[in-house]
């Protein structure tokens, strides 16, 4: 969609200035495809800077509590979509840092929905104790969230769960009505969200909410900045200096982006990842293969991230066969889901498991072959999105 800001005046705005400074220092490349998005986000910063109507203190404030009154005409939000590595998260993060809003939250969509479902469960338990099962949890939930933040920024917006699909339209309508401004990034257009999902008809109203309450813009850059950083880089690192090269590649891939912990819930358990950045996660062999994890955990991992930095993969012996089995399952899952895998290991793939007998030795031949295939340019060039 077009915006009303004058492209000739883009350098007068704070986000454009921040981008320009980074370009001049060589930290970013100038991308003309990003300018309409920068232009719109600068307009949004202007709107967020304006005094909010309905937020003045009332002489009767003591009677109704200290929470500010809901704002019915919130600034229009943004749904920014496009391919992986085009700079969507970087633009949103810069916008978030510049936003003159004290009560703001930047979160991965998956983590936000986990929190939402936990709150709904707690609310229902409370209602159950009060023997009231008829009440609707969505309005009070929207009210509580709107008191916590006035700006909500989502990274990697994707819907794969029917439980999420069933509540999103009503929850987000409630947030918009209470003055919350929403900025979200996604790899797909709104019309393709939850495509072929169970009971998708219940989700369709949310798509209309997005179109009516948010500006929908595509970042159609032909540059994949993530892949440009990998084009001449080894992604399976072994031998002397592997750890330092692995760290350098991690820093290059996450440059300019926010690194934060991530949590995935699987069958009532929580998988904790201290280092994640949008669709990129970093973990060690010990964390993924020496703990009692299984195929379901690796499937959840591949559904949440598109790139795994896997470090400290050791040379394995027969006594390590349980970890070997998990490593085989991990690589099989990542391969089946088309994930990008960057490895720091003690040896090349065909020398990681030095045992020449038993079921694991036979299966590891496939693992070694897949690890080698996942280093090639055809694999790297594959289009990748968020959770499938």
């Amino acid at each position: 969609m077009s915006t009303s800001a004058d492209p000739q005046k883009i350098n007068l705005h704070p986000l454009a200035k921040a981008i320009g400074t980074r370009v001049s220092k060589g930290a970013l490349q100038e991308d003309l495809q990003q300018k309409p998005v920068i232009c719109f986000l600068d307009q949004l910063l202007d709107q967020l800077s304006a005094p909010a109507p309905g937020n003045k203190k009332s002489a009767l404030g003591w009677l109704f509590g200290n929470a500010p009154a809901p704002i019915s005409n919130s600034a229009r939000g943004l749904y920014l979509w496009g391919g992986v590595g085009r700079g969507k998260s970087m633009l949103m993060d810069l916008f978030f840092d510049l936003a003159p809003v004290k009560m703001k939250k930047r979160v991965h969509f998956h983590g936000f929905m986990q929190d939402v479902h936990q709150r709904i469960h707690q609310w229902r338990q409370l209602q159950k104790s009060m023997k009231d099962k008829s009440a609707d949890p969505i309005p009070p939930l929207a009210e509580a969230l709107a008191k916590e933040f006035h700006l909500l920024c989502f990274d990697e917006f994707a819907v794969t769960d029917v439980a999420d699909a069933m509540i999103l339209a009503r929850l987000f309508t409630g947030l918009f009505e209470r003055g919350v401004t929403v900025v979200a990034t996604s790899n797909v257009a709104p019309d393709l969200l939850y495509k072929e999902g169970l009971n998708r008809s219940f989700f369709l109203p949310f798509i209309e909410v997005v179109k009516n309450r948010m500006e929908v813009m595509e970042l159609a850059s032909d540059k994949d900045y993530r892949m440009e950083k990998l084009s001449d880089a080894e992604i399976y690192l072994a031998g002397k200096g592997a750890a330092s090269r692995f760290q350098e590649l991690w820093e290059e891939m996450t440059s300019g982006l926010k690194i934060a912990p991530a949590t995935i819930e699987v069958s009532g358990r929580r998988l904790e990842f201290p280092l994640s950045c949008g669709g990129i996660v970093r973990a060690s062999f010990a964390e993924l293969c020496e703990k009692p994890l299984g195929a379901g955990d690796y499937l959840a991992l591949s559904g949440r991230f598109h790139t795994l930095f896997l470090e400290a993969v050791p040379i394995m012996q027969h006594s390590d066969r349980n970890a070997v089995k998990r490593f085989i399952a991990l690589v099989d899952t990542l391969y089946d889901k088309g994930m990008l895998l960057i490895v720091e290991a003690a040896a090349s793939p065909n020398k990681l498991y030095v045992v020449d007998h038993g079921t694991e030795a036979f299966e590891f031949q496939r693992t070694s072959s897949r690890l080698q295939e996942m280093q090639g340019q055809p694999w790297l060039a594959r289009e990748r999105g968020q959770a499938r």
Side-chain angles (χ1 to χ4, degrees):
M1 294 184 180
S2 62
T3 57
S4 59
D6 182 356
Q8 300 299 322
K9 296 181 180 180
I10 193 168
N11 291 326
L12 299 178
H13 299 295
L15 182 58
K17 288 182 179 179
I19 296 291
T21 298
R22 294 193 174 200
V23 169
S24 65
K25 292 180 178 180
L28 292 177
Q29 298 179 35
E30 184 176 18
D31 189 340
L32 296 178
Q33 297 294 331
Q34 293 179 357
K35 285 196 172 183
V37 178
I38 297 170
C39 200
F40 178 81
L41 287 173
D42 267 325
Q43 289 185 77
L44 197 53
L45 288 173
D46 289 341
Q47 293 180 28
L48 291 171
S49 299
N55 230 5
K56 295 179 180 180
K57 294 183 178 180
S58 167
L60 299 179
W62 62 272
L63 178 62
F64 297 107
N66 295 322
I71 305 167
S72 60
N73 58 339
S74 65
R76 187 174 176 85
L78 173 66
Y79 182 99
L80 179 61
W81 70 278
V84 171
R86 267 60 181 184
K88 302 184 300 297
S89 298
M90 178 273 296
L91 292 175
M92 185 185 71
D93 286 341
L94 283 176
F95 164 82
F96 180 84
D97 290 340
L98 291 168
V101 180
K102 291 183 179 180
M103 299 171 65
K104 56 184 178 179
K105 186 178 184 68
R106 192 271 192 203
V107 64
H108 192 284
F109 181 72
H110 185 85
F112 174 77
M113 291 309 300
Q114 284 185 341
D115 179 55
V116 163
H117 287 298
Q118 183 177 8
R119 292 184 189 224
I120 289 176
H121 174 73
Q122 293 172 345
W123 187 87
R124 283 176 172 159
Q125 291 299 109
L126 178 61
Q127 296 302 114
K128 185 177 180 180
S129 67
M130 299 170 60
K131 297 183 179 182
D132 181 6
K133 299 181 181 180
S134 61
D136 181 0
I138 302 303
L141 173 61
E143 184 72 26
L145 293 174
K147 289 179 180 178
E148 294 177 20
F149 44 76
H150 298 154
L151 171 64
L152 180 59
C153 290
F154 287 121
D155 197 22
E156 301 273 332
F157 196 106
V159 183
T160 58
D161 189 288
V162 64
D164 294 349
M166 298 288 280
I167 67 173
L168 277 172
R170 296 175 56 238
L171 175 59
F172 273 70
T173 297
L175 292 176
F176 285 128
E177 289 175 347
R178 290 165 175 80
V180 177
T181 298
V182 177
V183 174
T185 72
S186 179
N187 293 340
V188 298
D191 287 327
L192 297 181
L193 286 170
Y194 199 50
K195 185 179 180 181
E196 299 178 359
L198 183 65
N199 294 324
R200 190 171 188 261
S201 60
F202 291 101
F203 177 74
L204 295 179
F206 176 71
I207 296 176
E208 295 307 310
V209 170
V210 168
K211 291 179 177 180
N212 291 332
R213 304 301 294 266
M214 303 173 73
E215 190 83 3
V216 176
M217 302 183 75
E218 179 185 7
L219 187 51
S221 175
D222 57 358
K223 296 180 181 179
D224 184 338
Y225 295 101
R226 183 193 65 189
M227 292 311 302
E228 283 187 358
K229 294 172 182 176
L230 292 179
S231 59
D232 297 321
E234 291 182 86
I235 66 167
Y236 188 100
L237 305 164
K240 185 178 180 180
S244 61
R245 298 200 307 273
F246 182 86
Q247 177 64 26
E248 289 171 3
L249 192 53
W250 166 261
E251 292 174 356
E252 287 180 14
M253 288 280 283
T254 59
S255 176
L257 302 175
K258 289 187 180 296
I259 298 174
T263 301
I264 302 177
E265 291 188 5
V266 185
S267 302
R269 295 177 292 105
R270 295 169 66 88
L271 304 182
E272 305 285 349
F273 299 97
L275 299 174
S276 74
C277 179
I280 304 172
V281 65
R282 179 171 174 171
S284 69
F285 177 89
E287 291 170 320
L288 293 180
C289 300
E290 294 180 0
K291 293 182 178 180
L293 304 182
D297 301 293
Y298 303 142
L299 192 61
L301 173 71
S302 67
R304 168 67 171 76
F305 301 101
H306 53 62
T307 301
L308 169 63
F309 274 74
L310 179 64
E311 60 187 321
V313 179
I315 295 174
M316 293 162 270
Q317 310 290 337
H318 183 67
S319 58
D320 303 313
R321 59 187 179 276
N322 286 332
V324 172
K325 289 178 181 178
R326 295 190 188 103
F327 184 66
I328 290 171
L330 172 64
V331 173
D332 282 348
T333 302
L334 304 184
Y335 181 88
D336 290 341
K337 295 300 181 181
M339 281 188 67
L340 184 61
L341 177 62
I342 299 168
V343 181
E344 181 262 308
S348 59
N350 61 347
K351 294 181 180 179
L352 283 177
Y353 190 48
V354 295
V355 180
D356 60 1
H357 62 278
T359 303
E360 291 80 21
F362 174 76
E363 292 182 346
F364 204 88
Q365 294 178 17
R366 182 184 69 245
T367 300
S368 175
S369 175
R370 289 184 165 181
L371 285 172
Q372 293 182 53
E373 180 183 348
M374 293 166 81
Q375 300 174 50
Q377 284 301 317
W379 185 269
L380 295 178
R382 293 177 61 169
E383 183 66 26
R384 291 174 175 88
Q386 72 288 321
R388 285 160 288 277

